[in-house]
Amino acid sequence: MSSSDAPLSVDILRPSAMGPIADVDPRDTPGFDGGKSAGKAIRKARGEVLADLQERLYAHGRSGDPRSVLLVLQGMDTSGKGGIVRHVMGMVDPQGVSHASFGKPTDEELAHHFLWRIRKKVPAAGQIGVFDRSHYEDVLVVRVHELVPHDVWASRYDTITEFERELVRTETTVVKVFLHISHDEQRDRLARRLDRPDKYWKYNPGDVDERRYWSAYQEAYQAVLDRTDIDEAPWFVVPADHKWFARLAVTEILIEALSHLDLRWPAPDLDVDVEKKRLAES
Ligand code: AMP
Ligand code: MG
């Protein structure tokens, strides 16, 4: 296989193809036959394809093209959002990546519309923006813990799809990834954080309390997929108990999104021959 061949087709990761998340095995590797070492090696080879596309997007941005790409990462604690940022986005030039993570809102943020803090982090022209958590928290943790009245969060699904359609109209390609891990795998990952001094900092006692709400979160995620999976801004359900598979799948989702932009190198807005002559004479 050459690095220009896609190792898996991302269409099969769309919610409509995957079916209800309750029936998806988080250990599965849909569309990919190989194992961990092949998966890792292929992801690294495909990283070069991704880096080339990203550089083209960046070059277009520098030439006045407004287009950008937004990758939304959602998933339970320990689902590997940070690892995607390191291992997938880490394969491209950091100058072209803008990263934003959304934790518990500050008092100032709470005093504004829930999209206020999100809008400020939408990627600029030529950038790939990555959201580690996002506006979806406002229909996930907020719904599970009833942080606002039912009617308020219930109206947000439509607000969110409207917002994303607006992003697409203003030339931001939006792709959304749900990293789907199992309850057991989360326990193992939390346990590892308690076993390793270099991982203690990641351990948050509150994560254990949140595990009691696991099924409410799964329902909230299913509602998100049911109500906000639009073709303009698609969701992908990525089984994530195998980190190597999740990273490979997200690499492919980004390559696919960037490929649709048809990114030829931008034409120079100067006369190359004149410049060569001037340079030789200088
Ligand atoms: P972490 O990703 O581990 O840094 O955790 C961030 C925490 O912030 C998670 O527990 C999220 O559920 C929480 N969070 C993110 N957005 C919101 C929000 N809009 N309302 C309440 N909590 C949120
Ligand atoms: Mg956490």
Side-chain angles (χ1 to χ4, degrees), residues 77 81 102-105 117 132-133 137-138 141-142 147:
D77 280 305
K81 302 183 288 294
F102 296 96
K104 231 169 147 296
R117 64 175 183 161
D132 176 342
R133 302 188 192 269
E137 291 293 322
D138 291 281
V141 63
V142 169
L147 301 180

Side-chain angles (χ1 to χ4, degrees), residues 76-78 81 133 190 193 202-204 207:
M76 301 295 286
D77 280 305
T78 76
K81 302 183 288 294
R133 302 188 192 269
L190 289 172
R193 291 182 179 179
K202 283 195 190 180
Y203 186 82
N204 169 10
D207 294 349

Side-chain angles (χ1 to χ4, degrees), residues 129-184:
V130 185
F131 283 0
D132 176 342
R133 302 188 192 269
S134 65
H135 41 299
Y136 284 99
E137 291 293 322
D138 291 281
V139 287
L140 290 164
V141 63
V142 169
R143 166 179 164 145
V144 168
H145 292 289
E146 296 177 80
L147 301 180
V148 299
H150 177 283
D151 287 354
V152 174
W153 61 255
S155 71
R156 288 178 175 170
Y157 298 98
D158 291 340
T159 308
I160 286 173
T161 52
E162 261 171 55
F163 166 62
E164 292 176 353
R165 286 194 166 101
E166 173 198 323
L167 290 182
V168 172
R169 275 196 303 276
T170 53
E171 311 281 352
T172 297
T173 295
V174 181
V175 288
K176 306 175 296 200
V177 169
F178 168 47
L179 295 171
H180 182 37
I181 57 162
S182 64
H183 193 243
D184 284 345

Side-chain angles (χ1 to χ4, degrees), residues 30-272:
F32 187 69
D33 293 334
K36 180 172 179 173
S37 57
K40 265 188 160 173
I42 293 169
R43 195 234 324 140
K44 284 183 184 152
R46 296 286 283 169
E48 289 175 29
V49 176
L50 181 60
D52 175 74
L53 289 165
Q54 181 272 332
E55 193 181 346
R56 289 166 190 254
L57 177 68
Y58 186 79
H60 276 266
R62 295 293 294 264
S63 318
D65 183 331
R67 291 180 297 173
S68 62
V69 171
L70 174 62
L71 169 67
V72 171
L73 296 175
Q74 282 289 161
M76 301 295 286
D77 280 305
T78 76
S79 58
K81 302 183 288 294
I84 297 285
V85 174
R86 273 192 310 282
H87 296 276
V88 179
M89 303 323 299
M91 299 192 294
V92 311
D93 185 342
Q95 291 181 93
V97 177
S98 67
H99 172 263
S101 55
F102 296 96
K104 231 169 147 296
T106 62
D107 287 343
E108 190 191 18
E109 288 169 346
L110 281 173
H112 287 84
H113 188 270
F114 76 100
L115 293 177
W116 180 72
R117 64 175 183 161
I118 305 294
R119 287 182 187 279
K120 291 197 286 188
K121 301 288 183 175
V122 165
Q127 296 276 313
I128 301 179
V130 185
F131 283 0
D132 176 342
R133 302 188 192 269
S134 65
H135 41 299
Y136 284 99
E137 291 293 322
D138 291 281
V139 287
L140 290 164
V141 63
V142 169
R143 166 179 164 145
V144 168
H145 292 289
E146 296 177 80
L147 301 180
V148 299
H150 177 283
D151 287 354
V152 174
W153 61 255
S155 71
R156 288 178 175 170
Y157 298 98
D158 291 340
T159 308
I160 286 173
T161 52
E162 261 171 55
F163 166 62
E164 292 176 353
R165 286 194 166 101
E166 173 198 323
L167 290 182
V168 172
R169 275 196 303 276
T170 53
E171 311 281 352
T172 297
T173 295
V174 181
V175 288
K176 306 175 296 200
V177 169
F178 168 47
L179 295 171
H180 182 37
I181 57 162
S182 64
H183 193 243
D184 284 345
E185 179 66 18
Q186 189 191 58
R187 186 189 300 104
D188 291 348
R189 291 185 186 180
L190 289 172
R192 247 169 275 149
R193 291 182 179 179
L194 290 175
D195 276 341
R196 287 177 48 176
D198 62 324
K199 300 279 181 197
Y200 291 158
W201 66 273
K202 283 195 190 180
Y203 186 82
N204 169 10
D207 294 349
V208 176
D209 302 312
E210 284 302 273
R211 281 172 61 74
R212 284 192 287 128
Y213 298 92
W214 188 269
S215 60
Y217 271 107
Q218 300 302 305
E219 276 168 35
Y221 269 106
Q222 187 62 55
V224 160
L225 299 173
D226 291 344
R227 301 213 39 197
T228 66
D229 178 40
I230 53 176
D231 286 337
E232 300 95 315
W235 274 105
F236 295 90
V237 176
V238 173
D241 274 11
H242 293 299
K243 290 177 179 171
W244 63 264
F245 176 76
R247 293 167 187 170
L248 174 63
V250 176
T251 302
E252 292 306 314
I253 288 164
L254 280 173
I255 288 175
E256 169 81 9
L258 285 156
S259 300
H260 281 296
L261 299 181
D262 194 19
L263 294 163
R264 272 161 275 190
W265 290 108
D269 58 0
L270 46 82
D271 187 322
V272 174

